[in-house]
Amino acid sequence: MNNIFRKDSNCLIRDYDSEKLFIEPWGENSLRIRVTHMSKLDDNNWALLEANKVLPIISIDEKQGEIQNGNIKAIVDLEGRISFYNTKGDLLLREYTRYWGNKHNPSSLKIGAREFIPILGGDYKLTMRFESESNEKIFGMGQYQQPFLNMKNCSLELAHRNSQSSVPFYISNLGYGFLWNNPAIGKVNFSKNITEWTANCTKQLDFWITAEETPAKIEESYARATGTVPMMPDYGMGFWQSKLRYQTQEELLDVAREYKKRDIPLSVIVIDFFHWPKEGDWCFDENYWPDPVAMVKELKSMGIETMVSIWPTVDMTSDNYEEMLAKGYLTRTDRGIRPNMQFVGDTVFYDATNPKAREFLWNTVKKNYYDKGIKTFWLDEAEPEYTTYDFDNYRYHMGTNIQVGNIYPSMYSKTFFDGMRKEGEKNILNLVRCAWAGSQRYGALAWSGDVHSSFESFRNQIRAGLNMSIAGITWWTSDIGGFFGGDVNDSTFKECLIRWFQYGVFCPVFRLHGDREPHTKAMGNKGGGVFHSGAPNEIWSYGEEAYNIFKKYIDLRENLRPYIKILMKESHIKGTPPMRPLFYDFPNDAKSWEVDDQYMFGPDILVSPVMYEGIKSRKVYLPIGSKWICTQTKKVFEGGVTIVVNAPIDIIPLFLRANSNLDIKI
């Protein structure tokens, strides 16, 4: 049986029946594992960048094959089960098998680790099983609307939806990082008794694993494997003003002028959806936006960048629809009628997986926006948001949605990244409502989608943002105050908005947005006039008390710009997330792995948001490894203690590392 193992260049291979197993180095201290029943490997790298050639240590004997690359070693036994170890000999991860021949777990169950179930006439439904360590802690995996930071014992859909981004990379407290390198629709169960990954339709198994001593080093290893964000432009670090929606050019300019009049720093102002004649026209409706060039010029004179919303939808009556249909630039359905989304009109999504469709969209956007001075875009509906999430019904240039669908938001971001880079842009940043593994290298700033305006939703966003950051999407933000359900006259909502605003200061991007009640009426019956707008959402829209608090925190954000710039440089160079759970900076503090309602903003600021209505104080844990200075009282505390701090409505509890050079006054 020893002839089932062989070495090919830097790769350990196991051949058995129709199954071919390949394990090879993919970056320092990392391995890529692929298994196929096809005649050859699918060599698409998906989320991974091409890796430099590394020579591992490979040994083969009559019992097993072994491959070691730096800190990580994989051992494959005769039955094909893979076990991963670090240099100390600690078991990191092991495939789950239950059958008579398994000397570790002899069983009559006949369950294998890698199950390829053929889809008649097609590829495979894949299930991958690992042994579960019941006390393991798992962080990352993207953005899910639930209250948990630790993903252990969670079941997650590997699919995108509005407010859900599946980014299948996680960090384990056992000392490894794991990427499920497969864009197929599926699920993962991090159960107490087993870890089980499923891809509903795929050609092969593909995952990447790395072993490092600390969470920070794991994150940096993953960033080298999948890429980092560009350097964030200076305007991205300030305050962003947005609402649903500025209906006219003059309304937008009046808001910008008011900020200027009040001497309130404003970095970005956003033109939201339905500023166009029809979806898929990708241009301004001249009835409401008569002179975009002059508008952008005036905003730039005030130091304000203009961001414009782009949707990937094409109305079936749009000027571009017939050409895009004829050239194969639109998504298809395998059954039923063509429209993918019904919203104002019947629309079809452009096919972001088609290089020619990406080029067509960018060329249209370039002519109608970029050439008019607009250099940053809001890529909405990026999941894409089908009216019905029948994942098995949609088909792309690259394959069926069920097989490759999770890569769509990455290709949407790539459309604009490639186009802007071709025009000479370097520090590219585009706001996008969804992301997948690797999206970060295309300048993707993800936000958490259309979430509810409530304290419960606010709590979910705090955990979602931290897990997105751990999953490598280091540029992240949320709609401050939530997107829907916020009434400007509701005192509970105002309190939620204030607490969310304070938290927003300590996110990578500080952005106010939302669909506020009561709505204003639509201005016309066609083009950009057909859609209504929300109530005012500027910082002076909520009364004097709220205004003064908002202004104070905008000033704080401005004062933090030099510090934030350092964080963004580290994110660009090493993949370090600006916001991260406590364990990232304090991995040797066991309590830091348990805390899910505080986080670090960079290495020196500990943030403790107020997340419940009516709360005027809260408990704060101060990690071991530093002394901490309370920004309210300037009192110094030893690490390793939990204290109660005051948190009146105008205060978010903050602590600084005692050896930092920061001086925050709130």
Side-chain angles (χ1 to χ4, degrees):
M1 291 288 288
N2 60 354
N3 62 348
I4 64 175
F5 294 108
R6 58 189 171 90
K7 176 183 175 182
D8 184 359
S9 182
N10 67 338
C11 187
L12 173 66
I13 301 172
R14 177 183 181 269
D15 293 305
Y16 188 83
D17 196 6
S18 64
E19 184 186 80
K20 302 172 185 64
L21 165 67
F22 300 79
I23 306 179
E24 60 188 309
W26 208 272
E28 296 177 14
N29 309 314
S30 309
L31 297 170
R32 184 182 184 185
I33 295 81
R34 286 179 282 181
V35 179
T36 187
H37 287 258
M38 301 291 186
S39 60
K40 62 178 182 178
L41 276 179
D42 176 359
D43 56 7
N44 196 320
N45 285 338
W46 301 120
L48 293 170
L49 297 170
E50 197 64 50
N52 294 327
K53 203 78 167 179
V54 176
L55 291 178
I57 300 171
I58 297 177
S59 60
I60 297 171
D61 60 31
E62 67 278 2
K63 294 182 179 179
Q64 65 187 32
E66 180 178 313
I67 180 170
Q68 182 165 350
N69 179 31
N71 294 341
I72 193 166
K73 177 169 66 176
I75 297 177
V76 188
D77 64 23
L78 286 177
E79 288 73 34
R81 187 183 65 162
I82 313 172
S83 302
F84 298 95
Y85 300 86
N86 62 19
T87 52
K88 299 176 183 177
D90 300 326
L91 178 66
L92 302 175
L93 190 65
R94 171 176 284 164
E95 289 185 315
Y96 176 104
T97 57
R98 297 291 186 270
Y99 53 86
W100 279 113
N102 184 343
K103 67 179 181 179
H104 298 282
N105 286 292
S107 171
S108 302
L109 295 175
K110 299 181 181 178
I111 298 175
R114 305 183 294 271
E115 184 177 8
F116 287 80
I117 301 176
I119 299 170
L120 294 182
D123 294 322
Y124 295 90
K125 179 177 180 179
L126 167 66
T127 300
M128 174 78 243
R129 303 180 180 98
F130 293 102
E131 300 282 357
S132 172
E133 168 56 56
S134 61
N135 294 320
E136 185 177 16
K137 294 178 175 60
I138 290 171
F139 304 92
M141 291 302 299
Q143 171 183 284
Y144 291 86
Q145 295 303 321
Q146 42 82 13
F148 306 110
L149 182 62
N150 181 3
M151 294 288 99
K152 185 64 176 178
N153 298 325
C154 288
S155 178
L156 304 176
E157 181 186 42
L158 302 178
H160 306 310
R161 297 172 183 260
N162 184 342
S163 77
Q164 176 176 296
S165 291
S166 173
V167 189
F169 171 75
Y170 71 83
I171 285 177
S172 167
N173 68 323
L174 300 181
Y176 71 92
F178 182 97
L179 169 68
W180 180 252
N181 190 37
N182 190 322
I185 305 300
K187 66 178 180 180
V188 59
N189 294 319
F190 293 113
S191 304
K192 190 172 184 178
N193 64 322
I194 191 172
T195 295
E196 192 170 70
W197 296 82
T198 301
N200 291 343
C201 182
T202 193
K203 294 183 183 299
Q204 67 187 30
L205 171 68
D206 191 341
F207 66 89
W208 176 91
I209 185 170
T210 190
E212 295 282 4
E213 295 178 354
T214 67
K217 289 183 178 180
I218 293 172
E219 195 74 29
E220 290 165 15
S221 180
Y222 175 66
R224 288 191 295 271
T226 60
T228 65
V229 291
M231 180 60 194
M232 181 174 278
D234 287 344
Y235 69 77
M237 304 178 205
F239 174 60
W240 297 30
Q241 171 62 50
S242 184
K243 64 161 286 188
L244 181 101
R245 63 185 182 97
Y246 296 114
Q247 292 172 287
T248 69
Q249 177 176 320
E250 197 58 29
E251 180 189 5
L252 181 92
L253 287 172
D254 283 346
V255 169
R257 292 163 185 155
E258 184 65 21
Y259 272 100
K260 187 70 173 178
K261 178 181 175 183
R262 293 172 182 252
D263 197 27
I264 298 170
L266 181 61
S267 291
V268 178
I269 195 164
V270 183
I271 302 170
D272 204 346
F273 66 174
F274 285 89
H275 63 268
W276 47 68
K278 290 181 181 177
E279 294 173 67
D281 287 349
W282 296 303
C283 65
F284 286 103
D285 185 333
E286 294 179 356
N287 292 313
Y288 303 97
W289 305 85
D291 194 348
V293 173
M295 174 187 68
V296 171
K297 184 177 180 181
E298 181 177 347
L299 290 169
K300 283 189 176 294
S301 73
M302 293 186 278
I304 302 170
E305 193 74 18
T306 309
M307 171 174 274
V308 168
S309 172
I310 303 290
W311 279 28
T313 47
V314 185
D315 191 295
M316 297 179 77
T317 63
S318 165
D319 289 343
N320 290 319
Y321 179 79
E322 287 298 332
E323 180 181 358
M324 296 185 75
L325 177 67
K327 292 180 176 178
Y329 295 169
L330 301 173
T331 58
R332 292 167 281 156
T333 52
D334 283 353
R335 59 186 183 273
I337 60 176
R338 189 90 179 213
N340 308 143
M341 184 180 183
Q342 293 177 306
F343 190 77
V344 178
D346 292 328
T347 65
V348 181
F349 289 99
Y350 98 103
D351 187 349
T353 74
N354 186 332
K356 292 183 179 179
R358 294 198 297 267
E359 184 178 4
F360 178 92
L361 174 54
W362 170 251
N363 287 339
T364 306
V365 166
K366 177 182 180 301
K367 178 179 67 176
N368 295 328
Y369 297 111
Y370 183 87
D371 290 347
K372 290 177 168 57
I374 295 167
K375 299 295 193 291
T376 185
F377 299 93
W378 177 2
L379 310 182
D380 210 341
E381 297 293 328
E383 300 80 21
E385 185 182 10
Y386 296 106
T387 292
T388 303
Y389 286 109
D390 290 333
F391 296 114
D392 64 340
N393 190 32
Y394 306 111
R395 189 174 289 270
Y396 303 139
H397 172 81
M398 192 179 282
T400 63
N401 181 56
I402 198 171
Q403 190 172 60
V404 302
N406 284 333
I407 206 168
Y408 187 100
S410 289
M411 296 298 98
Y412 191 15
S413 289
K414 179 177 168 61
T415 303
F416 288 77
F417 181 82
D418 287 350
M420 295 173 75
R421 188 170 57 176
K422 187 176 179 181
E423 296 302 316
E425 301 289 335
K426 293 182 179 179
N427 298 340
I428 298 169
L429 177 156
N430 290 308
L431 183 65
V432 62
R433 201 174 70 183
C434 193
W436 192 63
S439 284
Q440 67 275 6
R441 63 180 181 254
Y442 302 126
L445 160 62
W447 98 96
S448 60
D450 297 345
V451 300
H452 192 239
S453 298
S454 65
F455 274 101
E456 180 181 6
S457 179
F458 175 37
R459 293 191 289 274
N460 288 346
Q461 305 326 301
I462 291 171
R463 279 77 179 225
L466 293 174
N467 274 323
M468 277 289 268
S469 295
I470 289 298
I473 309 301
T474 58
W475 287 353
W476 182 89
T477 185
S478 64
D479 293 347
I480 289 177
F483 180 71
F484 63 90
D487 191 318
V488 297
N489 300 309
D490 179 2
S491 59
T492 298
F493 170 66
K494 287 183 183 180
E495 181 184 355
C496 180
L497 177 64
I498 289 170
R499 293 305 194 186
W500 209 317
F501 197 93
Q502 293 164 348
Y503 158 76
V505 174
F506 302 97
C507 289
V509 164
F510 179 32
R511 170 180 157 273
L512 179 63
H513 183 62
D515 179 9
R516 305 296 179 234
E517 301 284 352
H519 284 159
T520 60
K521 294 181 179 180
M523 299 181 70
N525 57 10
K526 64 178 182 178
V530 300
F531 206 83
H532 63 260
S533 178
N537 190 46
E538 291 70 48
I539 66 169
W540 52 81
S541 305
Y542 297 93
E544 194 67 21
E545 180 186 31
Y547 172 74
N548 288 329
I549 295 172
F550 295 152
K551 189 175 184 305
K552 177 173 74 169
Y553 281 93
I554 291 174
D555 289 341
L556 174 55
R557 178 77 178 198
E558 285 296 305
N559 290 335
L560 286 173
R561 271 183 180 256
Y563 177 74
I564 294 170
K565 192 165 188 175
I566 293 171
L567 304 187
M568 293 306 172
K569 187 173 183 179
E570 290 180 346
S571 186
H572 168 54
I573 294 173
K574 298 193 300 180
T576 307
M579 58 187 295
R580 60 263 195 157
L582 300 188
F583 66 76
Y584 193 94
D585 294 272
F586 304 96
N588 297 322
D589 181 351
K591 177 71 173 176
S592 290
W593 291 87
E594 303 286 344
V595 175
D596 66 355
D597 61 353
Q598 300 172 220
Y599 64 96
M600 296 299 296
F601 187 61
D604 296 328
I605 304 177
L606 190 154
V607 185
S608 302
V610 177
M611 305 186 302
Y612 292 87
E613 180 183 356
I615 296 298
K616 297 297 186 291
S617 65
R618 65 154 291 171
K619 292 181 179 179
V620 175
Y621 176 70
L622 304 174
I624 298 171
S626 177
K627 292 183 178 181
W628 298 94
I629 301 172
C630 175
T631 58
Q632 295 180 59
T633 64
K634 304 305 178 185
K635 186 176 178 180
V636 179
F637 295 87
E638 294 287 340
V641 299
T642 299
I643 61 174
V644 177
V645 296
N646 291 327
I649 189 62
D650 65 327
I651 295 294
I652 180 173
L654 303 171
F655 286 79
L656 305 179
R657 281 207 198 214
N659 60 351
S660 75
N661 295 319
L662 293 175
D663 182 20
I664 293 178
K665 297 177 181 179
I666 57 171

